[in-house]
Amino acid sequence: MTRPLLLVVTPFSQEALVPLLEHFDVVQWQSLPSPDAFCARHGSDVRVLITNGMAGVPSLCRDALANLALIACNGVGYDAIDLGWADARGIRVINTPDVLSADVADFAMALVLAVFRQVPAADRYVRENKWGRQGAFPLARRFWGSKVGIVGLGRIGHLIANRAAAFSTQIGYTGRRQQDGVAYSYFPTVLALAGWADVLIVTTPGGADTHHLVSRAELEALGPQGVLVNIARGSVVNQSALIDCLESGQLGAAALDVFEEEPHVPESIIHSASTILSPHIASATVQTRQAMAALVVDNILQHINGKCLISPVN
């Protein structure tokens, strides 16, 4: 191979890659018959790598990428990408913020409403003809007027707060610091926020700094009527503590789009009557995935042409 290589580690739109074919030969990591052989023969030819925040740079090929100049993360989270390593090697990193924020906020609200009003259970109740045999569906809880706690008031957190406020809710948040010009109630710790909230929505980034930020104490503080919603990263919530609290009744319910070892989900979570689950799809709309792919490609084209990156991380 004489042309520079673009290594695509995670699934990515083939249509979106078309503008890059003029500049690179594209290699799909998941289609390589022997990743070891590829790294040994062609690792130094890779100039750009497309990945996501869960996969990062495969450890198998990391040391072989001697001339890698840009890591393009197709997503807002980049917790699996070692920024220290990238900085030391002079490798730029980009992500795709903003374009997915509104869809994630929409989905967070969908999960909140689904768990408060028991939408999946009500759907099954009709489909299984229990309505006709057993009569009225049990009463659910109203969402409007509740106390909504947001863990991480970033781009997505702000949009969730705006949507939740439309339901006449009280909004509280926690983060590294109290934000200027924000009227919502600030709580210095997740524990304090959980003790106040009826529903705790996790929107903080993943990574070592937020690992098990929501653990047993926070879940117990949320309480037997409390609801946990996680559309961030599975690593932010202590999954073992979550299972224990759901099984013991110390936590009311959980709506989860992310898990600690995706795509593997513990049977105790799957079979719990107190959970509503989805397969990491908060940003999974056609429009948003197209916009994410376009932003990745635009960043790469900026890099090729020696121009400023649109959404740099480092």
Side-chain angles (χ1 to χ4, degrees):
M1 297 182 184
T2 57
R3 298 212 306 160
L5 298 183
L6 168 62
L7 181 60
V8 182
V9 174
T10 51
F12 193 80
S13 167
Q14 297 303 299
E15 182 180 357
L17 287 172
V18 170
L20 301 176
L21 298 180
E22 177 184 346
H23 308 279
F24 300 97
D25 285 333
V26 175
V27 176
Q28 301 287 341
W29 177 258
Q30 295 178 334
S31 300
L32 289 171
S34 174
D36 284 303
F38 168 80
C39 293
R41 291 188 60 190
H42 303 295
S44 61
D45 297 322
V46 176
R47 301 294 192 275
V48 175
L49 182 146
I50 295 176
T51 186
N52 63 29
M54 287 80 70
V57 180
S59 57
L60 180 66
C61 70
R62 202 166 90 155
D63 293 337
L65 304 178
N67 296 305
L68 180 64
L70 179 68
I71 299 172
C73 179
N74 186 31
V76 64
Y78 47 86
D79 33 300
I81 298 172
D82 186 341
L83 290 182
W85 171 80
D87 288 339
R89 294 276 300 274
I91 301 169
R92 300 300 305 277
V93 179
I94 65 97
N95 67 342
T96 59
D98 297 322
V99 294
L100 54 73
S101 299
D103 274 350
V104 175
D106 282 353
F107 196 73
M109 294 307 301
L111 289 177
V112 168
L113 292 170
V115 72
F116 269 76
R117 297 305 303 269
Q118 290 295 294
V119 175
D123 177 85
R124 292 193 300 272
Y125 199 79
V126 175
R127 293 178 188 277
E128 295 169 3
N129 199 30
K130 291 182 179 178
W131 191 12
R133 299 196 313 268
Q134 300 179 18
F137 184 74
L139 297 178
R141 295 172 60 195
R142 70 184 183 194
F143 172 60
W144 72 266
S146 61
K147 297 175 181 177
V148 178
I150 300 174
V151 181
L153 197 67
R155 296 178 179 92
I156 295 170
H158 273 287
L159 291 173
I160 292 172
N162 291 341
R163 286 155 171 74
F167 289 84
S168 302
T169 59
Q170 300 177 58
I171 309 293
Y173 74 98
T174 190
R176 292 187 179 92
R177 59 175 179 81
Q178 186 170 3
Q179 297 186 18
D180 296 333
V182 173
Y184 309 131
S185 300
Y186 175 73
F187 293 80
T189 65
V190 179
L191 183 61
L193 180 63
W196 170 84
D198 297 312
V199 53
L200 193 70
I201 306 177
V202 182
T203 70
T204 190
D209 291 343
T210 59
H211 184 258
H212 288 184
L213 184 65
V214 179
S215 198
R216 185 179 303 275
E218 289 76 19
L219 297 170
E220 291 179 355
L222 194 52
Q225 298 300 315
V227 174
L228 175 75
V229 175
N230 189 4
I231 45 82
R233 285 286 190 266
S235 61
V236 180
V237 176
N238 184 325
Q239 193 163 269
S240 295
L242 173 62
I243 291 169
D244 289 346
C245 288
L246 287 170
E247 290 180 344
S248 66
Q250 291 173 295
L251 177 67
L256 309 171
D257 185 49
V258 290
F259 307 88
E260 284 209 80
E261 297 181 1
E262 297 175 8
H264 305 292
V265 181
E267 291 292 318
S268 52
I269 289 180
I270 290 174
H271 296 299
S272 172
S274 301
T275 58
I276 291 176
L277 313 175
S278 55
H280 203 149
I281 57 170
S283 67
T285 67
V286 171
Q287 297 93 331
T288 282
R289 291 299 167 85
Q290 289 174 340
M292 290 167 62
L295 182 54
V296 165
V297 170
D298 288 345
N299 269 288
I300 294 173
L301 291 172
Q302 290 287 101
H303 167 74
I304 292 169
N305 294 316
K307 297 180 179 179
C308 293
L309 299 175
I310 301 167
S311 51
V313 170
N314 62 350

